[in-house]
Amino acid sequence: MRKIALITGINGQDGSYLTELLLEKGYDVHGIDRRSSQFNRGRIEDTRQEAQKRGQVFELYYGDISDFSSICRIFSNCKPTEIYNFASQSHVAISFEEPAHTTDVNANGVLRLLEAMRYFAVEGCRFYQASTSELFGNAPETPQNENSPFHPRSPYGVAKLYAYWIVKNYREHYGIHACNGILYNHESPRRGENFVTRKITYSLARIKAGRQDVLKLGNIDAQRDWGFAKEYIEVMWKMLQNEQADDYVIATGETHTVREFIEKASAIAGFDIEWEGKGVEEKGRDKKSGNIIVEIDPKFYRPEEKTILCGDASKAKRVLGWKPKTTFGQLVEMMMKADLELIDSGK
Ligand code: NAP
Ligand code: GDD
């Protein structure tokens, strides 16, 4: 049977890596592209052109998961055998600024996809939902696994919790093959510039090039379980190949602070950072130049994070044979070097 994938959020970090993986595996790839006032296919355009040269199917459709008619049209056009839902307002802090929009896309959008799937997708079509460690939020235990209690603490997390349950409900009620990948933070040189890792590497590269003075951040003692996005994509695909649909925690099982990320990245960029002051007055000075390059801006503070989000991915290891390989140090180095090159290239 021809394998036909439909990817929502195809222009995002994960969508772009999954596109490459599925094309390599010989899939026809179809993607939903949200209309924007500027060209926003930067992460996938080269791949699309190369696929077309090879004669592979790689089609993009304008659509939006808040628009049911666009989803129905696309489903009946491309008749997917696998659907990967990445479309989301994916920024936790911004979900407090846009709570209703976030809920419509991240919660109701998933329901719309599942409903469209019942009527327009081919028999046996499988569904992957991009779920998140933000479901756990202030959960009472660390590390978290598939049985840990949920306690989301943002409109983003609450909307994703609805999505998690509706996917599970459609699996149980209609018998569809639908999986929740409960993924912890995963990063790469393709990460959006307002997530903390990429904000750090991109800003340090700009500071190095004299194009920015200071990097302003919120809580630099916050900890995250950071993995490499390209490796996390592989396990999403594995979930849909497994006969039994299920939900999996995907994580490295290791946490690091934002401060550690800054220290490693700044050393790679050629800075020698030392910290002075406390709380909002804390600053990072480059000993070599004497310049302040990091400052705290309370604007970027989040509500108190009581629980350390750290995932236990032993079920994915046991059932799917997956485990992460890239270390924290390698991830920081990869991202920092990519941004130094990017800024150097003047693109
Ligand atoms: P991302 O880079 O922000 O990509 C999200 C994509 O969704 C973008 O292409 C965006 O389109 C698209 N989108 C947003 N609203 C849409 C709508 N209404 N209709 C159709 N498309 C829409 O996010 P990511 O890092 O690749 O993450 C992929 C998914 O995994 C997201 O659902 C995210 O919440 C979830 N997740 C991510 C992580 C992580 O650490 N990266 C961890 C756990 C879960 P534009 O390009 O036009 O903005
Ligand atoms: N974005 C941002 N900007 N975060 C900052 C900053 C800043 O200036 N300063 C400190 N942080 C801290 C945040 O408080 C948080 O504790 C941590 O850095 C990571 O923030 P983000 O990179 O924005 O990621 P996130 O953990 O909130 O959300 C990401 O991961 C989730 C999975 O756990 C997103 O990709 C979500 O879509 C995803 O579900």
Side-chain angles (χ1 to χ4, degrees), residues 14 85-92 95 102 106-107 110 128-139 144-146 148-165 167 179-187 191 195 224-225 232 236 239 247-251 302 309-311:
D14 290 5
N85 178 37
F86 295 147
S88 129
Q89 190 301 91
S90 64
H91 202 284
V92 174
S95 75
T102 302
N106 297 11
V110 181
Y128 172 85
Q129 165 60 12
S131 191
T132 164
S133 52
E134 288 293 313
L135 302 189
F136 298 119
N138 278 337
Q144 301 84 30
N145 63 31
E146 293 78 5
S148 298
F150 298 130
H151 186 159
R153 57 192 157 77
S154 64
Y156 171 86
V158 174
K160 286 278 187 178
L161 184 55
Y162 171 84
Y164 168 90
W165 278 115
V167 164
C179 301
N180 285 294
I182 308 173
L183 270 63
Y184 284 62
N185 300 47
H186 46 282
E187 320 291 311
R191 187 61 145 148
F195 297 98
R224 282 292 183 274
D225 178 333
Y232 284 34
M236 300 172 185
M239 284 180 214
D247 308 319
Y248 297 90
V249 161
I250 303 299
R302 301 266 176 95
L309 289 178
C310 177

Side-chain angles (χ1 to χ4, degrees), residues 262-276:
I262 301 168
E263 287 168 355
K264 277 200 186 304
S266 58
I268 294 159
F271 298 110
D272 186 2
I273 201 161
E274 68 176 352
W275 301 103
E276 53 190 53

